[in-house]
Amino acid sequence: MRVRRSTLGKILATVFVLNLLVMGVGAWYSYEQAPPIPKEVVGPDGETVVTAEQVRAGKTTFQSDGLMNHGSILGNGAYYGEDFTADTLDLKVKFMRQYYADEQYGADSYDGLSASEQATVDVAVKSDLTDGDPTSDIEYSAAEAYAHEQVTQVYVERYHEGSHERGVPTNMIDSEEAAERFADFALWTAWISHTDRPGADHSYTNEWPYQPAAGNDATGASMTWSVIAMILLVAGAGFGVWLYKSIELPEPETEGVTVPRPDEVNLFPGQAAALRFAVVGAGLFLAQVLLGGLLAHFYIERDAFFGLGEMLGFDILQVLPFTIAKTWHIDLGILWIATLWLGAGLFLPPLLTGREPREQGKWINRLLGVLVVVVVGAMAGIWLGAKGYFGDALWWILGNEGLEYLEVGRLWQVGILVGFLAWATLVARGLKPLLDREPKWGLAHMILYAGGSIALLFTAGFLYTPQTNIVVTEFWRWWVVHMWVEGAFEFFIVALVGVTLVSMNLLSKRSAEKAVMVQALLVMGTGVIGVSHHYWWVGQPDFWVPIGSAFSTLELIPLVFILYEAIGQYRAMSTSGERFPYTLPFMFIVASGVWNFVGAGVLGFFINLPFINYFEHGTYLTVAHAHAAMFGAFGFLALGMVTYMLRIAVPEAKWDETNLRRAFWAWNLGLALMVGISLLPVGFLQLEVAFTQSYDAARSLAFYEGDLVQLLFWLRMPGDTLVILGTVIFGYDVVKKVSNRGETTPTDDPADTPVVAGSVVESDD
């Protein structure tokens, strides 16, 4: 069937608005149904155990001291330390059993009781945990009050006094009182995990985490919707293929297709400036993978790094603890990919228009300067904030906001937002000849729409403060984090790849526009609402279970469609007898499709089945999914864009792609080894422990220190080493090529120096 581009554009806009409406209604309902923080918790004698203000103060401590990048809360965060929700629930059960063992039988410990006595104690503990009215203040039993006090002492000893065997530095939380407040906050999340939501037969977290002793087990809905999800996958895949094949797109033809040779393209000053983004991005990438190697080794030596600290006379755990290293690692991953994308977005417009606005190069250099200031300020702020240099008022403004993926202080987040808007303005200047000629659903417009949607969704990160209920905070955090991934960023990638393929003459502009809109339609139709698979176990209303399972399942379908026509064109080119000059950049695009399918597709589908996710949430299976999907969905595309930019910029006589090929294969082999022989096996072992024991046992120090798990951690080294080696080679080659590429066109005149790809504007609209 024939579908006009204008029709696809209108459908895409409608789907995007409908997505926002659904999520907007969900936001309102989530506010209404958020778990309450009782005004106070009282003991059996009426004494106050903890107040709402103390719980909120504990959340502030959790964020200000970066604890989300040591352990996790409600399953979200780092997996190095305990999940604080599961840990406090497990400790609460343990101390309540101890209390009843002494109170009922005069025993020193629960383990010393007979089987029948233990059963009696278990019933008492479960009864205490499942009783109570969540709509009023909490009244602890004597056992619960005792357990609360004991858990608080454990957290003071562990997170204030330090625990090097756990990788916790001394004064990680700088005062005993703050550590007590953090324990109050973590215990509140444990309370919502075992307390039934009013009018329901399950807790606020849908009985997560799995802890049989507290009465927490997977709900029937998680199993039912897992089965429905698998049915939807089959049906949705068939529909997606039918839809894509039904929309007529031009077939690949070699006749009349001219691939512009690199030497036929003269660089403008703005393009030369955009190449500097590649140098900065390569530096950020190298810093990220080096930190990744340190983080991996922390799982083996929690207070050392191959003895270097002792040799050099400093304590690495105190100087660079896991929390700060992990924060930098995550943020640098976002920043190097974004930097390379921004550079590509600024480099590509002249390839399509054959001209460049006056002083574009100067403005691009200024934007790069702003980017460097934001990056340096944000990274320094993270360290200074976590170390307490900004005080109670400014830590989340200038320092470390303390939420995974959104750690940088609010001021630096504003800087990032301003940078995106400035980038969109510069891209619009560069694409103006296309914007003036094409309809509003054209390819150049798609680039700007994608950039605008990134900025729009980023603003969700400004809708909470450190005092906001953690459940509401998590709702908005995932808007930013995963709607970028599944919505705006995927849209942006599709549009940017479309522009790149057009500039290579692998796709006609009309064909690319239609392909981009179809792909974006599938992405927007599944990914935006699919973000709700993060809401199942964090205290959000349980209607997210059916919605999240359905839409997150369908996210698998559109992952590879955008490559369909490009591969067809590439095959046509390969049979034409003429050497294709952009084979290496295209290899990155193909590698992106493979790893995106493996990481986001296969592993993403598996871990997002509600029943699997109930036990898997926050384990190494997620780590495997995240690393493969990051390289697939974003990393290899960004690296491919840089390779294409360099291929255009470096004269044919000076071009040597040996190092870039070495880096390409080192990354692919390293990632395969890392995921295949380390991350996935550890994840499956954790899943087995979670199934057979409890979730807390799967996240415990005892699990990580097991002989087999330690061996698997060591087996990560070859893969990590190859990834680091590939990044070093890449960084060296980028710097070498950019510095030796030759002179740019010495003019800012927008009418000068047309390039071959400029024919796209003339003949394809």
Side-chain angles (χ1 to χ4, degrees), residues 333-344:
I334 297 170
L335 288 169
W336 76 257
I337 291 171
T339 299
L340 297 187
W341 283 353
L342 295 177

Side-chain angles (χ1 to χ4, degrees), residues 648-683:
I648 292 287
V650 177
E652 195 93 46
K654 294 184 177 181
W655 176 254
D656 181 0
E657 62 186 38
T658 303
N659 282 332
L660 290 175
R661 283 184 176 271
R662 289 170 178 166
F664 174 84
W665 290 113
W667 285 323
N668 277 278
L669 180 57
L671 186 59
L673 291 174
M674 181 201 308
V675 172
I677 69 174
S678 181
L679 302 184
L680 279 177
V682 171

Side-chain angles (χ1 to χ4, degrees), residues 8-19:
L8 282 174
K10 292 171 184 176
I11 295 173
L12 178 60
T14 301
V15 167
F16 184 68
V17 172
L18 287 175
N19 271 292

Side-chain angles (χ1 to χ4, degrees), residues 34-42 50-52 55 130-140 144 188 191-192 194-199 204:
I37 302 177
K39 185 177 179 181
E40 64 178 4
V41 177
V42 298
V50 62
T51 66
V55 170
T130 55
D131 285 345
D133 180 5
T135 62
S136 63
D137 290 342
I138 303 173
E139 185 173 342
Y140 271 167
E144 288 178 289
W188 173 78
W191 175 79
I192 68 172
H194 67 68
T195 300
D196 282 354
R197 185 183 287 275
Y204 285 96

